[in-house]
Amino acid sequence: MWKVDLHSHTIYSKDCLTRPEDAIARARRIGLDKLAITEHDNLAGALRAKELAPDLIIVGEEVMTTHGELIAYFVKEEVPRGLSPQETVRRLREQGAVVAIPHPLDSLRNSAMGLESVLEVIGLVDALEVRNARCVRPQDNLAAQKLAQEHGLMVTAGSDAHIPFELGHCYMEMPEFEDEPESFVDALQHAKPMGKESPFWPHLMSTYAKWRKRIRPVAYGGVLHAYGKK
């Protein structure tokens, strides 16, 4: 069985300072077999990480819609933020991506869809994220698990790491799969969410990253990474 973290970020997200090579090194050190890089509203970090470690990285994106975030895997073309959930799903489906709802019922996170919005699109997605290591209240993850069971959906799990320390705190234990959506979905049907929530302090590091980029952009890969920009 593989250990697969399906939710993480790098310096290409506005609230993260982790360089892709540092995420890759940490993932290998802790024994991850696959790591999905799911930047906020862009593919740049995932594509850079894929270049560095094609055997390890799944290219994903976490997209802010008008009613909370969606997350997708095996994304080929970047989908912009600010579209309706239905239009976002449509654009992801057109390119064959696998679509899930991250931290769907997180009661402390503004980017979470919440129950009403989740129910409007639950028939359009493949899975719900039921174990997100950054959910401060474990009961919110449990509520997501119950909702997925009620609707017969597959489930995902991920660390939502913004610093290397967080990687692998939540993950999927799943059969090996090929680097393409169909094989991934087949394996996901036999997968099990594992791990536990991270401590609270990594959230403070995300706040620091936002302010750091706002005050003084960070150079990486020949590009200055400022708040809200690649």
Side-chain angles (χ1 to χ4, degrees):
M1 299 292 279
W2 273 357
K3 183 178 180 180
V4 182
D5 187 336
L6 287 173
H7 192 161
S8 70
H9 299 271
T10 77
I11 196 170
Y12 290 87
S13 286
K14 65 182 180 181
D15 53 355
C16 182
L17 295 172
T18 301
R19 300 171 191 273
E21 54 266 44
D22 295 330
I24 290 166
R26 173 69 176 176
R28 295 201 189 282
R29 191 158 57 247
I30 64 175
L32 289 180
D33 296 288
K34 292 287 184 179
L35 173 64
I37 301 291
T38 52
E39 309 292 13
H40 294 295
D41 308 312
N42 78 84
L43 289 183
L47 293 174
R48 174 58 180 153
K50 187 72 170 177
E51 290 176 0
L52 296 171
D55 63 307
L56 176 69
I57 300 301
I58 297 171
V59 175
E61 183 182 3
E62 189 172 22
V63 188
M64 176 59 76
T65 76
T66 55
H67 291 78
E69 289 179 321
L70 290 167
I71 196 167
Y73 309 103
F74 300 95
V75 183
K76 299 174 183 176
E77 296 182 10
E78 188 174 294
V79 175
R81 64 180 288 133
L83 303 173
S84 70
Q86 292 82 357
E87 176 63 13
T88 302
V89 171
R90 186 188 71 79
R91 294 193 184 198
L92 291 166
R93 289 289 190 211
E94 281 184 343
Q95 52 186 290
V98 179
V99 186
I101 304 177
H103 44 71
L105 302 181
D106 191 325
S107 56
L108 297 179
R109 196 175 329 209
N110 292 334
S111 60
M113 277 196 170
L115 183 58
E116 182 177 349
S117 294
V118 167
L119 291 177
E120 290 182 0
V121 295
I122 200 166
L124 304 177
V125 302
D126 298 295
L128 296 184
E129 185 183 58
V130 302
R131 195 164 290 186
N132 179 294
R134 279 201 162 204
C135 281
V136 175
R137 294 176 173 171
Q139 60 265 38
D140 293 339
N141 279 331
L142 292 174
Q145 176 105 48
K146 181 180 178 182
L147 187 64
Q149 291 171 345
E150 291 173 350
H151 288 265
L153 282 180
M154 295 184 295
V155 301
T156 68
S159 63
D160 202 354
H162 288 65
I163 59 174
F165 161 79
E166 297 176 273
L167 285 168
H169 283 191
C170 286
Y171 62 94
M172 295 299 287
E173 187 179 85
M174 55 195 300
E176 296 182 17
F177 54 88
E178 300 297 324
D179 192 23
E180 50 90 15
E182 291 79 9
S183 181
F184 172 73
V185 168
D186 287 344
L188 199 60
Q189 293 174 5
H190 304 284
K192 181 180 179 181
M194 304 291 288
K196 61 181 180 180
E197 291 79 9
S198 297
F200 181 78
W201 65 264
H203 290 264
L204 302 178
M205 299 302 294
S206 293
T207 301
Y208 168 76
K210 289 180 183 179
W211 281 101
R212 170 72 169 79
K213 289 181 176 181
R214 179 177 286 167
I215 296 169
R216 184 158 57 94
V218 181
Y220 175 76
V223 177
L224 286 178
H225 294 264
Y227 182 82
K229 299 178 183 179
K230 299 196 284 285

